Amino acid sequence: MLKKRIIACLDIQEGRTVKGINFKGIRDAGDPVELGAKYAAQGVDELVFLDITATIEKRKTLIELVRKISTTINIPFTVGGGIRSVDDVAELLNAGADKISINSAAVRNPELIRQIANRFGSQCVVVAIDTKQTDQREKVFIKGGREETQWETINWAQQCVDYGAGEILLTSMNKDGTKDGFDLGITQKINEAISIPVIASGGAGTKQHFAEAFQKTQVDACLAASIFHFGEISIPELKTYLTQQNIPIRCN
Amino acid sequence: MIAIINYKSGNIKSVKDAFSRLGLNAKLTNNPEEILAADKVIFPGVGEASFAMEQLKATGLHTLIPTLTQPVLGICLGMQLLCAYSEEGQTDGLGIFDLNVTRFPKDRKVPHMGWNNFESFEGPLFKNVQLSNDVYFVHSFYVPIGEETIAQTQYIQNFSAALNKDNFYAVQFHPEKSGKVGQQILQNFLAL
């Protein structure tokens, strides 16, 4: 049976892991390769490395980092942040990334999704969608949530599939950072609207939140960052709990 | 020497890195002499089948690969290209396995992406592996069950997770991305 996946996300700045403290500042959380390897050893199913600086001059640092991650880690990983062209993608995949994640660039130029899918296959194209409810409509936001677009989230997700996306990483801005559970409403709506895997992100605070997402929606994977980094939930503990709830989870 | 066939199709660094983690140096090559001289040959692949076949034809590897006599391991698209035909891009394959690669019906989400276990398996490739062990899959096309099937996995229906004929082995999943279980399967292949 296909298992539900637990994904840990690491934010990267200038080659180091960073994490926010109460949404105010960010501090260095160490070497992303070591942290990723630790999570992999603990049984996380996939890793996402998100370059939050992603300026052109920092690109080389990121590529070098991806090479090291690929050498060290024996599970799939996705790299995102600042990808604007097919050449950017080629560089990351050649360095060893399994998938890439695009967000603002896909909204600005949906053809980019098709170009990447045609050249490297849909399986490596994750489109990250930041969604927020405004005036009772779910809208897509870009530029790290700073800019509202014209897109309704469901329509945009369907567009992404048509353009060749292999997976959708759906982050609820309403829930992100709240630790009061994943946004089950929009997560299930997207799952019903499209026929490719969906990752839920934003709002994870307890083990029960993961169970609820897997039981009440058809989501394929749940992603979290800070609760893992701060040690609030350990991955083995989470996976044991989900298995006890009869959710199909990888335990080897 | 372990040769990894390099034909510009997909992410082959991760396959090389998997052998590095086992303390082995595998060589990325499209040189026929090096491939013929290797003790073991890995035939990886990610991407689209007809494009990948064109790449093989452009370098003459499509005639070389079927003549190999040492153990060969096809991975993911590599496995599909070892079959007779693929619906993906309607292309002929290398014809080692007399099976046609087919698209998953759209009853469920496609690609089949993530960790899945085995319904059955047999042979030395699966030594010290349990049926309940999960390995990492990501594919939209599958190889049906046939005489050459040595492992089955279930998604929508049962399909070939691994094939074997003579010295040719092939796996649909990515052993290089499948944690310790994947490492075990790579070691089993190297021990053939």
Side-chain angles (χ1 to χ4, degrees):
Chain A
M1 182 190 272
L2 181 65
K3 306 303 181 292
K4 299 292 185 181
R5 287 171 282 154
I6 302 297
I7 302 177
C9 180
L10 285 75
D11 287 342
I12 309 295
Q13 195 172 45
E14 295 176 34
R16 303 286 291 178
T17 317
V18 291
K19 55 189 179 187
I21 306 165
N22 301 329
F23 312 103
K24 285 174 188 163
I26 46 174
R27 77 177 154 97
D28 191 297
D31 180 355
V33 183
E34 280 173 25
L35 191 57
K38 186 182 105 179
Y39 290 149
Q42 289 179 343
V44 83
D45 297 309
E46 266 182 66
L47 293 162
V48 173
F49 295 88
L50 205 57
D51 186 16
I52 60 171
T53 42
T55 56
I56 288 154
E57 48 293 2
K58 298 294 185 293
R59 212 71 205 161
K60 276 184 186 160
T61 317
L62 178 67
I63 298 295
E64 196 44 50
L65 179 69
V66 171
R67 283 204 189 94
K68 279 188 203 150
I69 295 165
S70 173
T71 320
T72 313
I73 291 172
N74 60 8
I75 60 166
F77 69 96
T78 303
V79 180
I83 294 165
R84 290 177 188 87
S85 69
V86 171
D87 288 345
D88 290 343
V89 174
E91 220 176 8
L92 291 167
L93 296 181
N94 288 337
D98 298 289
K99 309 180 206 176
I100 57 83
S101 149
I102 48 174
N103 189 337
S104 307
V107 175
R108 279 194 290 265
N109 174 23
E111 273 300 322
L112 182 59
I113 303 173
R114 197 195 307 278
Q115 288 164 3
I116 300 169
N118 283 348
R119 176 136 165 223
F120 308 103
S122 286
Q123 83 291 330
C124 75
V125 189
V126 182
V127 179
I129 302 178
D130 293 337
T131 183
K132 187 174 165 185
Q133 202 173 52
T134 53
D135 300 330
Q136 298 183 341
R137 293 162 78 199
E138 284 283 350
K139 299 292 288 286
V140 176
F141 282 68
I142 57 169
K143 294 188 178 172
R146 293 190 298 276
E147 191 179 308
E148 184 176 345
T149 70
Q150 294 305 306
W151 283 103
E152 296 230 14
T153 305
I154 289 178
N155 296 342
W156 172 237
Q158 287 169 330
Q159 273 296 300
C160 292
V161 177
D162 291 345
Y163 277 105
E167 195 170 30
I168 298 292
L169 166 52
L170 182 73
T171 301
S172 162
M173 291 170 58
N174 299 90
K175 289 288 192 168
D176 204 26
T178 63
K179 293 191 180 177
D180 69 354
F182 292 97
D183 192 331
L184 303 180
I186 187 64
T187 299
Q188 180 56 11
K189 277 183 195 149
I190 296 296
N191 271 284
E192 284 168 2
I194 63 174
S195 57
I196 62 171
V198 178
I199 304 165
S201 158
T206 67
K207 292 177 285 190
Q208 288 77 9
H209 291 152
F210 288 84
E212 191 179 56
F214 289 132
Q215 285 163 341
K216 295 185 178 168
T217 80
Q218 292 160 294
V219 82
D220 299 273
C222 284
L223 176 144
S226 62
I227 54 159
F228 297 139
H229 302 333
F230 288 106
E232 291 165 38
I233 297 179
S234 81
I235 289 154
E237 180 192 337
L238 172 62
K239 291 190 116 181
T240 304
Y241 173 78
L242 294 174
T243 304
Q244 285 164 355
Q245 305 306 306
N246 292 319
I247 294 162
I249 291 289
R250 175 179 73 111
C251 293
N252 56 266
Chain B
M1 198 261 286
I2 304 162
I4 301 173
I5 298 178
N6 183 0
Y7 62 108
K8 296 194 173 65
S9 193
N11 179 358
I12 51 175
K13 183 176 182 288
S14 59
V15 180
K16 183 174 163 57
D17 287 340
F19 286 106
S20 304
R21 286 191 293 274
L22 296 172
L24 299 165
N25 185 23
K27 186 160 191 187
L28 302 176
T29 177
N30 62 3
N31 178 327
E33 282 169 25
E34 278 183 336
I35 294 170
L36 284 165
D39 302 313
K40 300 282 190 304
V41 175
I42 309 291
F43 180 36
V46 169
E48 200 271 333
S50 63
F51 176 81
M53 270 308 287
E54 290 309 312
Q55 300 299 309
L56 290 175
K57 285 177 184 167
T59 46
L61 289 167
H62 69 302
T63 54
L64 177 82
I65 293 169
T67 67
L68 295 173
T69 53
Q70 65 273 64
V72 177
L73 180 66
I75 297 176
C76 195
L77 181 62
M79 162 162 156
Q80 299 189 353
L81 295 177
L82 290 172
C83 292
Y85 176 80
S86 176
E87 275 186 7
E88 187 180 27
Q90 282 107 48
T91 182
D92 282 334
L94 300 175
I96 302 294
F97 304 112
D98 190 19
L99 289 159
N100 292 343
V101 183
T102 311
R103 191 174 228 293
F104 275 122
K106 291 192 172 172
D107 315 12
R108 280 181 67 186
K109 292 178 181 179
V110 176
H112 170 223
M113 184 186 283
W115 298 80
N116 203 336
N117 62 299
F118 302 98
E119 300 300 315
S120 64
F121 57 52
E122 62 189 67
L125 205 56
F126 297 97
K127 191 184 166 192
N128 294 329
V129 178
Q130 313 291 320
L131 286 177
S132 60
N133 287 163
D134 290 307
V135 287
Y136 188 79
F137 291 87
V138 48
H139 58 124
S140 301
F141 292 77
Y142 71 95
V143 180
I145 308 296
E147 277 179 24
E148 292 132 343
T149 301
I150 55 164
Q152 298 189 18
T153 289
Q154 200 269 335
Y155 184 72
I156 304 176
Q157 68 224 21
N158 278 23
F159 65 87
S160 294
L163 301 169
N164 170 232
K165 186 183 181 186
D166 306 325
N167 57 313
F168 288 91
Y169 290 80
V171 292
Q172 180 62 70
F173 52 89
H174 288 273
E176 76 279 14
K177 286 288 163 180
S178 294
K180 284 184 181 159
V181 177
Q183 287 181 1
Q184 178 67 53
I185 291 167
L186 288 177
Q187 281 172 319
N188 291 344
F189 172 73
L190 294 177
L192 287 172

